[in-house]
Amino acid sequence: MYYRAWGVQWYQMDIEICWHGRGGQGVVTANEILAETAILAGKYVKAFPEFGPERMGAPIRAFTRISENPIRIHSQVYEPDIVIIMDGTLVGKVDVTKGATKDTIVVANYAGSPKELQDALMTDIECHTLDAQKIAIEEIGKPMVNTVMLGALIKCSPLVGYDHLEDQITSKFTGKLPDKVILKNLSSLKRGYQEVQ
């Protein structure tokens, strides 16, 4: 659960996040990067994907819990504080707001405006949108939206520091990806942070 004071300062207790995406979009990696960054910031974290017979392009979910205190819950997230939609084509096909409350926020890879997303979801909960796929193609050359969506997420809900997230992305990908690809991911992160509505 989170509390917000006049849209500026966030006071966190326990945050529960539900990620919705498709296989191959980097949902699991984004979840891991956020979790690792939170751990390095001294938070307690549980982060895991929902495994099943997933294949490339199939809808998948992942879950994150972040707390100031030890986490004793081991189940999936049923009432998310934040819903992250990595693929806008899931809207209308998957119940992405299942369990959402009036305080839940949605951060979506969605080409329309926040109001258009609210209408599509038939909800009045707070929504934030950006065309993450377009950004990823422009920056990385393929529709891998995970770092774009991480930037958007921490702009809408500063769960971890932006600089810490940059450091974790660099650390995670060093030795696995060429330096120029890491820089492209950092550019994607920055654009997600700057361009989310």
Side-chain angles (χ1 to χ4, degrees), residues 9-190:
Q9 180 78 32
W10 289 71
Y11 299 94
Q12 299 173 40
M13 294 180 67
D14 297 328
I15 301 288
E16 296 191 323
I17 304 169
C18 183
W19 304 73
H20 291 273
R22 293 186 184 276
Q25 288 185 312
V27 176
V28 174
T29 301
N31 192 12
E32 288 175 354
I33 291 169
L34 178 64
E36 290 160 359
T37 307
I39 289 168
L40 290 172
K43 311 288 186 188
Y44 293 91
V45 177
K46 285 204 184 261
F48 54 95
E50 181 179 66
F51 287 111
E54 283 82 23
R55 64 189 186 283
M56 186 73 73
I60 63 170
R61 292 191 301 172
F63 309 100
T64 316
R65 285 189 175 90
I66 301 174
S67 179
E68 301 287 346
N69 304 299
I71 300 170
R72 309 202 187 283
I73 300 171
H74 303 288
S75 67
Q76 70 180 49
V77 170
Y78 292 101
E79 294 184 353
D81 299 298
I82 302 169
V83 173
I84 302 168
I85 304 170
M86 303 275 279
D87 191 318
T89 65
L90 295 174
V91 174
K93 295 187 174 95
V94 174
D95 186 3
V96 292
T97 56
K98 183 176 183 180
T101 71
K102 64 180 179 60
D103 295 319
T104 299
I105 67 168
V106 175
V107 183
N109 170 18
Y110 189 78
S113 70
K115 178 64 170 71
E116 288 171 326
L117 179 58
Q118 286 178 322
D119 292 344
L121 294 173
M122 295 183 288
T123 184
D124 59 359
I125 61 178
E126 182 180 336
C127 290
H128 300 273
T129 62
L130 79 163
D131 193 340
Q133 183 163 313
K134 176 176 176 285
I135 294 169
I137 290 170
E138 289 174 356
E139 295 295 334
I140 302 172
K142 56 185 178 179
M144 184 67 70
V145 300
N146 52 3
T147 51
V148 184
M149 293 303 293
L150 281 169
L153 168 62
I154 63 161
K155 177 64 173 285
C156 300
S157 175
L159 303 170
V160 295
Y162 182 89
D163 291 346
H164 296 148
L165 197 53
E166 275 191 322
D167 291 346
Q168 186 57 32
I169 289 170
T170 302
S171 174
K172 187 169 187 72
F173 293 148
T174 295
K176 299 175 185 174
L177 297 175
D179 289 348
K180 66 180 181 180
V181 176
I182 295 172
L183 290 173
K184 289 178 180 181
N185 275 278
L186 295 176
S187 294
S188 295
L189 177 77
K190 184 175 183 179

